[in-house]
Amino acid sequence: MARIPPSLKRFAQRMLSPVPRRLSRNHIKADARKLAALRASLESHFFAGWREQNRVSPQVHERELNEHVHEAIELYRAQFIPWLDSACGLRGRRVLEIGCGTAASVVALAEQGAVVTGIDIDEPSLRVARDRCTLYSVDVKLERLSADSIAKFGPNAFDLVLFSASLEHMTSAERLAALQGAWQILPPGGFLAVMDTPNRLWYFDQHTSRLPFYHWLPNDLAFRYARFSPRDNFREIYTEETTDSMQHFLRRGRGVSFHEFDLAIKPATKLKVVSSLVSYRGLLRRWLGCAAGRRYKAALMSICPGIHEGFFDPSLELVIQRD
C-alpha cells in the first residue's frame, strides 16, 4: 500500500475529525501584538543562546520558534483536547500538568474551563509560560517543582494528572516516582492521562534518534549508535561517554512502556483504561496509519493479552481512571 503523504493525513484529520463546536468556541484568539510579545519572550528566555549552542541554521531556529508560538497550541486544541474532554470532561476539573513547558497545553486546557496547575523544573520555560498565560488572559497556577515532589499537594488534590511529552525525559527512578506520586494524589474516580509519549516497544524511534529498533538497544549501545542518526543536534553530540553526557542522553528520551505502570501503579492488565487516542479516533486513525504498523501492533497485542491496545501504539496516549 502506498504511503499516505503527511499533508493528506492532516487534511483528513481536520475534515473527518473536526473540533466540536462546544470546544472551538472557547478558543482564545491572540492578536498579532500578543503573538509578537510571546515570540519576544521565547527569544529572551527559552531560546536565549539556543541557536549558537546547538549550531542550528536560521531556518531551523525560525521553525522551532513558529512551533512554540503557533503550532503547539493548535495541536493541543485539534488533537488532544477533544479526546481528553470526551474521556473525562475538562470543565471544572482540577488538573495538574507535570512538565508544562512553555504552557501551550496549559492554555488549551484552561480555555475549556479546567482549573490548571502546571509544574516544570526549567525556569526559562516557566518564564515564557507565565507570559503566555498573561497574554491569553487565563488564570492558572505555575510552579517550579520536580515531578517526584508532587506528594506535597496531598491526597485528592486533583481530578486529572497529566503527563504530556514529559515522562520520556525523566530518568527511570524519576519516572516511577512521578507515576506513583500522581496515582496517590488522585481520588477514587480521578484520572491519569499520558500523551505524546514515545512507546519503547515500537520498532521505530520517531521522537529522538529517528532510527529503527533504537529503543530496543541497551543505553550504552544506543549512546554509541547515536552517531548513525540522521538528526542534527543529536548524532554529533554523544561522542564521549561520561556520567554527565549519559545523563543528558537519557533525558533526550528513551521511550516509555507499560512496564513502568506495572511497577509504579499496578499490573497494566488491571488498569482501568477508559480511552486511548487511537480508539477515540477509531477507523480514521487506523486508516491514517500504515498497514505494517497495524500488523505490528496486532502482533504485540497477541504477545501480551489483556493489556489495553493503547499500550501498543507508537505513542502512549491513554486516560486511566483510578478505581
Side-chain angles (χ1 to χ4, degrees):
M1 180 182 294
R3 182 176 179 270
I4 302 169
S7 59
L8 180 57
K9 287 186 179 183
R10 290 192 293 269
F11 175 78
Q13 288 169 348
R14 289 195 300 270
M15 294 299 102
L16 300 178
S17 185
V19 178
R21 172 62 182 159
R22 60 184 173 78
L23 300 180
S24 63
R25 68 188 177 195
N26 297 326
H27 292 171
I28 300 170
K29 301 194 184 308
D31 58 28
R33 179 186 60 82
K34 290 182 178 180
L35 292 176
L38 176 57
R39 181 187 175 97
S41 178
L42 283 159
E43 290 275 32
S44 299
H45 304 301
F46 188 81
F47 285 110
W50 179 86
R51 179 179 165 188
E52 294 76 17
Q53 179 183 351
N54 293 292
R55 302 187 294 278
V56 299
S57 67
Q59 293 79 11
V60 171
H61 180 60
E62 183 63 29
R63 186 172 68 239
E64 292 286 336
L65 262 173
N66 186 64
E67 180 180 335
H68 279 267
V69 174
H70 300 285
E71 294 178 8
I73 190 167
E74 294 307 322
L75 174 67
Y76 285 107
R77 286 170 169 172
Q79 180 164 300
F80 295 117
I81 294 300
W83 164 59
L84 287 175
D85 188 70
S86 73
C88 56
L90 293 176
R91 180 159 299 278
R93 290 280 185 196
R94 300 168 299 161
V95 180
L96 173 65
E97 182 175 358
I98 298 176
C100 64
T102 62
S105 50
V106 167
V107 170
L109 289 162
E111 67 187 3
Q112 297 303 335
V115 182
V116 187
T117 298
I119 66 170
D120 205 289
I121 60 172
D122 185 58
E123 183 58 35
S125 294
L126 285 172
R127 290 177 184 174
V128 178
R130 295 184 187 102
D131 289 342
R132 190 195 296 267
C133 291
T134 298
L135 291 168
Y136 277 85
S137 302
V138 293
D139 183 17
V140 303
K141 296 179 182 178
L142 297 169
E143 182 177 350
R144 187 177 185 184
L145 188 71
S146 63
D148 54 5
S149 301
I150 59 176
K152 62 163 275 186
F153 292 113
N156 305 328
F158 299 96
D159 306 306
L160 167 63
V161 178
L162 172 64
F163 293 91
S164 177
S166 57
L167 276 175
E168 71 273 22
H169 297 298
M170 302 178 191
T171 65
S172 295
E174 290 167 347
R175 193 178 302 129
L176 293 174
L179 283 170
Q180 186 175 52
W183 197 251
Q184 290 174 345
I185 65 175
L186 283 171
F191 299 91
L192 186 151
V194 179
M195 62 191 197
D196 202 15
T197 301
N199 187 349
R200 76 161 61 88
L201 299 181
W202 206 252
Y203 58 84
F204 190 85
D205 172 25
Q206 183 61 45
H207 175 272
T208 307
S209 69
R210 298 171 190 162
L211 289 169
F213 310 113
Y214 193 74
H215 284 319
W216 301 356
L217 299 177
N219 290 334
D220 57 344
L221 187 57
F223 183 98
R224 298 182 182 186
Y225 205 77
R227 66 189 178 93
F228 291 105
S229 170
R231 183 177 181 181
D232 295 332
N233 189 33
F234 183 76
R235 63 176 177 272
E236 71 277 17
I237 294 177
Y238 304 111
T239 57
E240 183 179 356
E241 186 177 337
T242 65
T243 300
D244 288 343
S245 64
M246 177 57 78
Q247 186 81 341
H248 186 275
F249 170 74
L250 295 176
R251 290 195 183 282
R252 290 293 291 270
R254 293 286 286 140
V256 181
S257 62
F258 68 81
H259 302 85
E260 280 95 337
F261 294 81
D262 280 349
L263 291 168
I265 302 175
K266 60 182 176 180
T269 53
K270 297 181 179 180
L271 289 173
K272 185 180 179 181
V273 179
V274 297
S275 183
S276 69
L277 183 59
V278 169
S279 62
Y280 168 71
R281 286 187 167 174
L283 291 176
L284 168 64
R285 185 74 172 191
R286 289 174 172 82
W287 174 75
L288 292 172
C290 69
R294 293 193 292 270
R295 291 194 296 270
Y296 179 72
K297 177 179 175 178
L300 290 178
M301 292 176 63
S302 69
I303 295 169
C304 304
I307 297 178
H308 190 275
E309 66 165 297
F311 280 107
F312 304 111
D313 291 318
S315 181
L316 297 184
E317 283 142 353
L318 300 155
V319 177
I320 304 168
Q321 187 171 28
R322 180 171 180 179
D323 45 21

